[in-house]
Amino acid sequence: MPAKVENRILTYEGCNYLRYRLLLSTLSGKPVRIKDIRIKHDDPGLKEYEVSFIRLLDKITNGSRIELNETGTNLYYNPGLLNGGDLEHDCSLQRGIGYYLEGVMILAPFCKKPVDIKLRGVTNNTTDPSVDRFKATAIPLLKKFLSGDNEIIFNITKRGAAPLGGGEIRFKCPASRNLKTIQFQNSGMVKRIRGTACSIRVSPAIANRLVESAKGVLLQFLPDVYIHTDHCKGASSGKSPGFGLSISAETTSEVLFGGEAFSPLMTTSSLPCVPEDIGKEAAIKLIDEIYRNGCVDSPFQSMTAIFMALGKKDVSKVVTGPLTPATIQFLRDLRDFFGIVFKIEPHKEEDEVLDQVVLTCVGVGYTNISKRTL
């Protein structure tokens, strides 16, 4: 539903894109009201993982005002100041750590203090981007926008599969006064593929089977393929068994594409899952991402758009693959909160297969006024 303005408060209906709307509200300082959340469902209102995300926003900000009615179907959020600092958060096990980590990465550069956060929960599942994909493709993307030699630390301390989790990651990001504008239009040619096959509370041989299966597909296209195996046991292996593969392709223009697959929930009623199928699925997803041929990995198109919009008052231009539905809605919400409109045009080249999109915008010149000056 498009936004309505009631008493100078942006109002939306429904639970779709709730996370991005709360992030945009936090960055713009504009309060938001979200009504009729799952009112026709048997279990109406906010889910546990959405409440957990709101708690995380409350920790990273100072002075936020959150009002939720008894049934959880109406939410009012008035953001406070972005504070940052040393934080810890136990994520809901209904979603992966990636669901929360993306929000932290978007907010971290604009905080008063450098963000140093530990997130605990599910590191790998079938729904959200895994922590390996964040490490391989999202962190280098974030570094492109940060000015200076800002060091970003990202460590996977423990792995934890669904449903019981038990994983932990540490993410540290410095505060930045301004973001850089970027011109990112040439995706280049793929030169190497790297990856991690993880086996959690299962036989170490499964990781090797994942690697062999994925290599069987990828070596037909490229000789430089190296996939690391990570067998987790004991305290670092979380509480549930699982296995999966996350791979990334690097191009000559330092563009990174990701592809991944993970075993579904291992329960007594679930169908048997073969490591060879998971390895092949991850390889095919990576090839599909390369085929889309943008300059950013598809799950992080929205993060790229917000950093372009909040950059200096200069032109940023990025070529992406076909826009995901979430990105399309995010661009609409971005206009509601910041009044910024992207120029979207097709990117045509002679050897083009899929329609690429050129995103162009002039940044709003967003300055981190909270950041302490030396």
Side-chain angles (χ1 to χ4, degrees):
M1 290 290 291
K4 298 174 184 174
V5 181
E6 298 177 0
N7 299 326
R8 297 184 179 178
I9 300 171
L10 282 167
T11 304
Y12 293 92
E13 289 183 15
C15 61
N16 284 349
Y17 314 108
L18 176 129
R19 179 174 56 130
Y20 283 138
R21 285 166 179 168
L22 292 178
L23 289 172
L24 287 169
S25 171
T26 307
L27 287 168
S28 64
K30 294 179 180 176
V32 65
R33 177 173 280 119
I34 299 171
K35 304 192 297 185
D36 301 340
I37 301 170
R38 299 189 181 91
I39 51 172
K40 295 182 179 178
H41 285 223
D42 294 336
D43 184 17
L46 291 173
K47 298 287 187 188
E48 180 191 323
Y49 64 88
E50 292 166 331
V51 174
S52 179
F53 184 77
I54 293 169
R55 287 200 182 108
L56 176 60
L57 287 181
D58 192 35
K59 286 179 184 176
I60 210 168
T61 58
N62 189 5
S64 292
R65 184 176 156 209
I66 301 156
E67 295 175 7
L68 194 62
N69 68 348
E70 290 181 5
T71 54
T73 53
N74 282 5
L75 169 70
Y76 172 76
Y77 176 71
N78 191 353
L81 294 172
L82 278 164
N83 192 44
D86 292 353
L87 304 166
E88 291 187 12
H89 185 68
D90 292 318
C91 305
S92 167
L93 301 179
Q94 292 179 352
R95 296 295 291 262
I97 285 177
Y99 178 85
Y100 303 87
L101 182 58
E102 186 182 1
V104 174
M105 287 179 68
I106 288 173
L107 297 178
F110 308 105
C111 288
K112 180 179 180 180
K113 306 171 193 169
V115 171
D116 189 350
I117 188 168
K118 286 182 181 176
L119 294 173
R120 300 187 191 93
V122 176
T123 56
N124 302 75
N125 65 4
T126 53
T127 312
D128 303 290
S130 69
V131 291
D132 297 288
R133 191 164 186 173
F134 272 92
K135 188 172 186 177
T137 63
I139 298 293
L141 183 65
L142 177 60
K143 286 179 179 176
K144 289 183 189 297
F145 286 96
L146 294 181
S147 52
D149 296 325
N150 290 318
E151 186 185 7
I152 297 174
I153 296 171
F154 188 91
N155 294 326
I156 303 168
T157 318
K158 301 176 186 175
R159 289 187 183 275
L164 299 177
E168 181 180 298
I169 64 109
R170 180 189 174 210
F171 172 65
K172 186 175 181 181
C173 177
S176 180
R177 181 161 285 279
N178 294 102
L179 294 181
K180 290 192 289 189
T181 55
I182 63 169
Q183 303 284 328
F184 210 17
Q185 299 176 67
N186 178 21
S187 57
M189 305 291 285
V190 175
K191 63 179 180 180
R192 61 168 163 252
I193 292 174
R194 298 288 181 267
T196 302
C198 63
S199 51
I200 307 167
R201 287 185 175 269
V202 293
S203 166
I206 285 182
N208 297 327
R209 289 166 64 185
L210 288 165
V211 172
E212 290 302 314
S213 173
K215 277 189 169 182
V217 176
L218 298 171
L219 287 173
Q220 298 176 44
F221 304 98
L222 195 73
D224 190 358
V225 179
Y226 180 78
I227 301 174
H228 166 71
T229 57
D230 183 8
H231 175 61
C232 303
K233 56 186 178 181
S236 65
S237 64
K239 300 174 183 175
S240 295
F243 53 88
L245 177 64
S246 178
I247 41 183
S248 62
E250 185 181 348
T251 74
T252 51
S253 305
E254 295 185 356
V255 173
L256 290 150
F257 301 113
E260 61 187 1
F262 199 76
S263 59
L265 288 179
M266 290 189 173
T267 57
T268 51
S269 60
S270 64
L271 292 170
C273 181
V274 184
E276 282 77 8
D277 293 345
I278 297 292
K280 188 177 179 183
E281 182 188 344
I284 289 171
K285 283 183 175 177
L286 177 66
I287 292 167
D288 180 58
E289 190 62 44
I290 296 168
Y291 175 71
R292 293 168 71 89
N293 193 27
C295 290
V296 293
D297 201 16
S298 293
F300 308 117
Q301 287 178 353
S302 299
M303 186 167 76
T304 306
I306 187 69
F307 287 157
M308 289 170 67
L310 298 182
K312 294 176 183 175
K313 291 185 178 179
D314 199 356
V315 177
S316 284
K317 189 176 283 191
V318 171
V319 173
T320 70
L323 296 176
T324 62
T327 307
I328 292 168
Q329 182 60 43
F330 183 76
L331 293 175
R332 292 174 182 147
D333 293 343
L334 200 57
R335 180 189 59 199
D336 293 339
F337 283 96
F338 285 97
I340 192 163
V341 180
F342 278 73
K343 181 182 180 185
I344 302 172
E345 54 191 348
H347 180 68
K348 294 294 182 186
E349 289 184 359
E350 291 179 8
D351 59 344
E352 203 57 51
V353 185
L354 259 182
D355 291 335
Q356 285 178 288
V357 177
V358 184
L359 290 178
T360 311
C361 81
V362 177
V364 295
Y366 190 95
T367 304
N368 185 358
I369 54 172
S370 304
K371 187 175 187 294
R372 293 174 178 168
T373 52
L374 297 174

